[in-house]
Amino acid sequence: MSGEYTAEFSAAEQALIDKEFSRLADTTYLDHAGTTLYAESQVAAAAQQLQRDVICNPHTCRSTGDFVDQVRYKILEFFNTTAEDYHVVFTVNATAALRLVAEHFDFGSKGNFHYCRENHTSVLGMRQLVQAKGIYMLTQEELLRLNDVAQEATANETTSGKSLVVFSGQCNFSGNKLPLTIIEQLHKHGLQQPGKCVWRKQTAEESSTKVKQQHYVLLDAASLAASSSLDLQRHRADYVCLSFYKLFGYPTGVGALLVSRRGAEVLQKRFYGGGTINYAYPHSMDHQLRDVFHERFEDGTLPFLSIVELLQGFRTLERLVPGGNTMERISRHVHGLARYCAEQLRQLQHANGAPLIRLYNNAGYEQRATQGGIVTFNVLTESGDYVGFGEVACVASLHRILLRTGCFCNIGACQRYLQLSDDTMDAIYKRAGRVCGDYYDLLNGQPTGAVRVSFGYMSRLEDVERLLEMLRNSYVTSKRQQRVEFIVNQVAQLPKPLQQRAQHLRPRLQQLAIYPIKSCAAFKITNAGESWPLTEQGLQYDREWMIVDMSGMALTQKRCTHLCLLQPRIVHDQLQLHFDSSSSFVSVPLSLSAQAENSARCRSKVCRQPIEGYDCGDEVANWLSDQLGIDGLRLLRQSGQRSSAANGKQQKQQLSLVNQAQFLLVNRASVRSLDFEEPLDETVDRFRGNIIVETDVPFEELSYTQLRIGDVHFHVDGPCQRCDMICINQRTGERSPETLTTIARMQSGKMRFGIYISQVQSDATDDPHDEQQQQKQLHLTCGDVIVID
């Protein structure tokens, strides 16, 4: 039955595999389409070989060249071919192999470039380099129709055109496999229809003579070869590109282009370098390329250490999956897991019977010939709305499940399966400013990407069950969650006059929270009438310090949850640091001039922006390392100016070490509507806001554009897109995904909570560190009235 799983490996084989991946004991890895994992014995054997053998530049040591040639022979054997039929050209990855063909394929004057829409973006990049007469896009359906009756040649056809067709053996978005018999059909009969013209060279009037194209095939096998058998005796593609980290996990930085004898005839090398030539004169253009094909195309010194270590990858794979048909067995294993996973996902339902999952697949999971070990989906709410994939990624991470979200560098497949129009694509990428790899997951409630899980030979049935358990616990609606949604729906359904009335209620400032050290606990101002000064960057001393590790990278709660237990206190002219209940503490001066004296200047980054700071010394560094149990920590204080990007007509804002804006406003009413089973103040702390207010209507802050607190005017920069840090209890450091999933469900899959605001600056500019000027600066006071402009 399709919903059942039949084990491919025996108990003894599975035990041996599990032993090699003991590091996965509490982690579920489900991104084998991104990269598979290396076995422990594989890297141990590689290390032993490096320690035992003298492996140096092949130009110096012939034995190294022999090692590299052994790898070439093994690659050819692995794909059931020989050096009589194929050359092996080493590259850094499959993308580099694609570029090599794009740069050197000789289209002549009549040849065209054809590519499949459902391809990796690296294939799209080939369009910038190919010297073709025309560039055409094909769909998978058009390629599949090649098995129909082929077009016969006519008397007035010539054969002067050389065209290149590129397609992926397995779609890395959906796992759908195309039949490799397409290769033979293209060689024999070519394309009946060229596809959609994307670009065509402008030429004089065309000849009436029809040009018969010789079609060459480039097979992108990066996804296919990672978990399926590829027989090049049966399916003789002219070019095959590979990335070995997808097959073995280690080493990275090594790929290959396999070139058939036929394909080699139309690759015309232009650039040369390193050992690719017999000679080249500096005083003239005279040069001569190497006679051996792969030597002409492998520019510079090969990554010979990594290439040699590929042998350990082959040996390990064949030892762990024995039987002489290693890849066939792996293919059956990953397909069986994917089929079981897909069937179980189909059965997940909400309490009202609505489906929890929408799968993206056009071939079904019954046939291994048409489907690989990939399952791609999105999560739906009870009402049928989409949950953003960014939220799913955060929740999965909290459950120690590693999966992939987005479009997976395959925008064409994403557009096809999500049914995105060309105008919607423009709205996502051009107008909304989304970029590949971000978490902009919903546009007007519709998904811009998906969730992908993929399997490798070390994947187990338990991995699928952990995924299913996470989805059930986090997204199948329970009674408590239904009650939360009911409260929110009541607010949304209030008559407009009452909504407008609520918008004009006068909330008050409840609390100020200053976070002197980035990602640590807050120093709070809570008493009515108590004030705190503002600087050009925000609340005075807010996020002026940060902790960095020995590599200079900022340490945050995403890496060390115990940072929330590091409690700063501002006492007179000192910043005191306390940790949890320990009586030990350390101090640093608040005065920037005192700090700068005899301090080393350092550089780091916050949200990819470089920042400059002063090192606060060994005493506080050693104390931090002792309290947090991490060697090599340092405390830095910001020393240079940092500005936000201009926002429309708004001027650039001066920033401390915050992620995005000067202030984060959080509404206690919105927090209360979450109805968590913990004290309200603890839940408020999760959101790490600077300015805490309370209104009568939850989430009304999302409609603000301008506001005034006391005498200080603010501009709203936008809602805060939350990450998994809000799932950390700031009193204990414990993680729970409940916060994130509830927020997303209440907002139709979006992860927005709180708003970013920036102070509207006057014409005068004050130095935020000038202690005399601070006397003239504005203050915020607990109890201040908040007026919505």
Side-chain angles (χ1 to χ4, degrees):
M1 294 176 61
S2 61
E4 297 177 350
Y5 169 75
T6 302
E8 172 63 28
F9 303 136
S10 68
E13 289 173 333
Q14 188 63 58
L16 183 61
I17 293 172
D18 290 345
K19 184 179 179 181
E20 291 279 358
F21 299 93
S22 59
R23 61 189 185 276
L24 292 177
D26 61 348
T27 299
T28 302
Y29 184 76
L30 295 174
D31 188 28
H32 293 272
T35 178
T36 196
L37 300 176
Y38 55 82
E40 293 176 12
S41 64
Q42 174 191 348
V43 292
Q48 289 173 5
Q49 182 181 24
L50 293 175
Q51 292 172 333
R52 180 184 64 246
D53 299 331
V54 178
I55 305 174
C56 55
N57 195 311
H59 300 137
T60 304
C61 181
R62 177 169 293 183
S63 63
T64 303
D66 293 339
F67 268 131
V68 171
D69 286 339
Q70 286 182 41
V71 179
R72 294 188 205 274
Y73 299 144
K74 184 60 183 177
I75 292 169
L76 293 171
E77 176 189 290
F78 191 79
F79 294 109
N80 193 30
T81 188
T82 68
E84 298 299 319
D85 295 321
Y86 279 87
H87 305 282
V88 177
V89 179
F90 285 114
T91 63
V92 296
N93 49 34
T95 296
L98 293 169
R99 176 169 183 161
L100 191 152
V101 177
E103 289 178 330
H104 302 299
F105 186 89
D106 181 13
F107 290 88
S109 61
K110 303 292 184 180
N112 296 315
F113 177 65
H114 307 264
Y115 64 93
C116 185
R117 177 179 64 175
E118 296 85 359
N119 253 323
H120 196 277
T121 52
S122 299
V123 173
L124 302 184
M126 296 178 69
R127 300 178 301 185
Q128 307 302 116
L129 297 176
V130 294
Q131 301 295 313
K133 181 180 179 182
I135 297 176
Y136 296 86
M137 182 184 75
L138 297 160
T139 64
Q140 284 191 354
E141 290 75 16
E142 287 170 327
L143 283 173
L144 289 170
R145 284 199 292 269
L146 290 173
N147 290 325
D148 298 339
V149 179
Q151 183 177 5
E152 299 295 333
T154 56
N156 66 335
E157 285 182 332
T158 66
T159 57
S160 62
K162 289 175 292 202
S163 289
L164 179 64
V165 182
V166 187
F167 70 91
S168 178
Q170 176 177 287
C171 176
N172 72 318
F173 184 96
S174 66
N176 179 227
K177 296 180 182 178
L178 284 174
L180 299 187
T181 52
I182 290 173
I183 298 170
E184 184 179 3
Q185 293 295 327
L186 285 167
H187 284 164
K188 287 184 176 179
H189 307 295
L191 286 168
Q192 297 182 40
Q193 299 295 329
K196 177 183 177 181
C197 182
V198 177
W199 176 87
R200 186 171 177 82
K201 186 181 297 183
Q202 298 295 325
T203 61
E205 186 177 349
E206 298 287 346
S207 169
S208 59
T209 303
K210 187 175 182 180
V211 177
K212 181 182 179 182
Q213 301 284 342
Q214 288 181 314
H215 287 82
Y216 294 79
V217 179
L218 169 51
L219 175 66
D220 180 356
S223 179
L224 177 70
S227 59
S228 298
S229 175
L230 175 58
D231 187 343
L232 292 181
Q233 285 293 332
R234 293 180 57 197
H235 307 296
R236 296 173 179 264
D238 300 289
Y239 313 101
V240 180
C241 67
L242 305 162
S243 281
F244 289 106
Y245 71 91
K246 292 182 180 290
L247 190 59
F248 307 131
Y250 173 86
T252 56
V254 184
L257 177 69
L258 308 188
V259 182
S260 72
R261 298 289 169 172
R262 178 178 184 262
E265 295 175 356
V266 289
L267 288 188
Q268 301 297 317
K269 188 69 187 296
R270 299 180 181 90
F271 174 82
Y272 59 84
T276 61
I277 54 170
N278 292 326
Y279 67 86
Y281 293 154
H283 59 271
S284 72
M285 296 295 289
D286 194 12
H287 68 277
Q288 185 182 77
L289 294 174
R290 294 278 190 180
D291 295 328
V292 178
F293 181 83
H294 66 255
E295 291 181 353
R296 295 204 301 270
F297 284 88
E298 292 172 344
D299 298 317
T301 302
L302 291 172
F304 53 88
L305 292 178
S306 296
I307 292 171
V308 169
E309 289 165 7
L310 292 176
L311 286 175
Q312 299 296 343
F314 285 112
R315 292 167 184 162
T316 302
L317 205 60
E318 292 167 351
R319 178 175 60 84
L320 295 178
V321 188
N325 55 349
T326 296
M327 295 311 295
E328 280 294 306
R329 296 193 67 195
I330 291 175
S331 177
R332 287 196 294 267
H333 175 66
V334 300
H335 175 260
L337 288 174
R339 182 174 60 182
Y340 174 79
C341 179
E343 185 60 31
Q344 295 302 309
L345 290 174
R346 286 194 188 99
Q347 296 178 19
L348 294 179
Q349 293 182 339
H350 289 286
N352 65 352
L356 179 71
I357 299 295
R358 177 168 183 178
L359 289 168
Y360 300 112
N361 177 277
N362 67 320
Y365 286 85
E366 294 305 311
Q367 300 298 322
R368 184 162 57 94
T370 57
Q371 179 62 40
I374 294 175
V375 181
T376 306
F377 61 92
N378 268 316
V379 178
L380 302 171
T381 67
E382 187 181 35
S383 59
D385 295 324
Y386 286 94
V387 175
F389 62 73
E391 180 206 333
V392 179
C394 293
V395 173
S397 178
L398 291 171
H399 285 83
R400 300 190 67 83
I401 297 175
L402 302 177
L403 43 71
R404 189 76 172 269
T405 59
C407 281
F408 328 121
C409 298
N410 194 332
I411 294 178
C414 196
Q415 181 180 13
R416 172 193 178 181
Y417 286 101
L418 301 182
Q419 299 180 345
L420 304 175
S421 67
D422 292 347
D423 183 67
T424 301
M425 297 290 284
D426 285 346
I428 294 170
Y429 292 100
K430 293 183 178 180
R431 296 194 287 274
R434 187 202 164 181
V435 297
C436 290
D438 66 16
Y439 288 97
Y440 186 90
D441 48 20
L442 294 172
L443 178 69
N444 298 325
Q446 296 303 304
T448 63
V451 181
R452 183 187 74 185
V453 297
S454 50
F455 304 98
Y457 74 88
M458 68 292 294
S459 300
R460 302 164 298 167
L461 187 64
E462 290 85 348
D463 297 333
V464 180
E465 297 297 350
R466 287 183 183 179
L467 172 71
L468 297 170
E469 181 183 13
M470 180 270 287
L471 291 169
R472 291 190 192 100
N473 292 341
S474 301
Y475 293 105
V476 175
T477 307
S478 68
K479 292 181 179 179
R480 190 191 70 80
Q481 293 163 338
Q482 288 175 333
R483 186 172 68 252
V484 170
E485 289 203 11
F486 176 72
I487 294 172
V488 174
N489 287 338
Q490 281 187 314
V491 172
Q493 293 171 8
L494 285 174
K496 285 186 178 181
L498 289 181
Q499 291 184 2
Q500 293 172 356
R501 171 64 180 157
Q503 291 288 344
H504 288 88
L505 290 175
R506 300 185 64 168
R508 294 181 180 270
L509 177 60
Q510 300 288 318
Q511 176 183 293
L512 292 168
I514 299 93
Y515 299 85
I517 304 178
K518 184 176 177 64
S519 217
C520 295
F523 175 78
K524 297 179 180 178
I525 306 297
T526 57
N527 297 326
E530 193 173 3
S531 299
W532 194 259
L534 297 179
T535 72
E536 198 177 29
Q537 296 184 152
L539 291 168
Q540 187 180 34
Y541 303 127
D542 184 65
R543 280 130 172 145
E544 287 198 19
W545 290 264
M546 73 177 185
I547 301 170
V548 298
D549 60 19
M550 63 178 58
S551 64
M553 293 179 60
L555 188 68
T556 69
Q557 288 186 31
K558 292 183 180 181
R559 295 170 56 195
C560 177
T561 59
H562 287 165
L563 283 176
C564 67
L565 305 180
L566 188 61
Q567 301 158 0
R569 300 175 189 172
I570 296 176
V571 181
H572 303 301
D573 60 349
Q574 297 288 308
L575 175 66
Q576 290 184 359
L577 306 184
H578 299 255
F579 185 77
D580 203 9
S581 58
S582 172
S583 60
S584 171
F585 71 93
V586 69
S587 299
V588 295
L590 289 175
S591 170
L592 183 63
S593 58
Q595 184 70 69
E597 191 173 333
N598 300 321
S599 294
R601 295 293 291 270
C602 304
R603 293 181 66 86
S604 185
K605 284 188 176 182
V606 171
C607 293
R608 300 183 180 180
Q609 277 192 326
I611 61 100
E612 294 183 354
Y614 292 115
D615 186 287
C616 294
D618 293 338
E619 181 184 3
V620 66
N622 293 334
W623 185 88
L624 288 170
S625 293
D626 290 341
Q627 300 300 323
L628 295 173
I630 302 174
D631 292 333
L633 297 181
R634 308 295 296 183
L635 182 67
L636 268 60
R637 184 175 187 177
Q638 182 184 13
S639 62
Q641 294 286 324
R642 176 171 174 251
S643 300
S644 66
N647 181 11
K649 296 181 179 179
Q650 298 300 312
Q651 295 180 347
K652 288 187 176 182
Q653 299 290 335
Q654 297 301 315
L655 299 179
S656 61
L657 301 178
V658 294
N659 284 354
Q660 188 163 333
Q662 292 179 339
F663 306 88
L664 173 60
L665 182 150
V666 172
N667 185 356
R668 287 172 61 91
S670 303
V671 178
R672 186 179 291 107
S673 73
L674 301 177
D675 195 23
F676 284 158
E677 296 177 359
E678 65 181 8
L680 179 62
D681 287 341
E682 287 189 27
T683 309
V684 171
D685 287 347
R686 289 176 179 267
F687 298 96
R688 298 180 61 82
N690 297 112
I691 297 176
I692 311 302
V693 304
E694 183 157 11
T695 69
D696 289 340
V697 179
F699 299 108
E700 74 166 60
E701 66 274 16
L702 296 177
S703 65
Y704 296 172
T705 57
Q706 304 276 346
L707 68 152
R708 176 168 51 87
I709 304 176
D711 295 327
V712 186
H713 293 264
F714 296 89
H715 171 79
V716 177
D717 297 318
C720 176
Q721 295 291 126
R722 307 310 306 215
C723 67
D724 59 359
M725 269 188 64
I726 64 173
C727 299
I728 301 172
N729 185 306
Q730 296 296 303
R731 309 289 177 93
T732 66
E734 296 176 352
R735 291 178 181 267
S736 169
E738 188 178 30
T739 313
L740 196 64
T741 56
T742 302
I743 292 170
R745 186 171 295 108
M746 295 172 74
Q747 299 189 34
S748 302
K750 298 177 181 178
M751 293 184 293
R752 305 182 306 176
F753 204 97
I755 57 173
Y756 287 123
I757 63 176
S758 297
Q759 182 181 350
V760 177
Q761 298 288 342
S762 62
D763 293 336
T765 58
D766 297 327
D767 182 351
H769 301 299
D770 187 329
E771 295 175 356
Q772 293 182 350
Q773 286 292 330
Q774 288 172 7
Q775 302 294 328
K776 304 176 183 178
Q777 291 172 357
L778 295 171
H779 289 65
L780 289 179
T781 303
C782 287
D784 275 350
V785 171
I786 301 174
V787 178
I788 310 304
D789 295 332

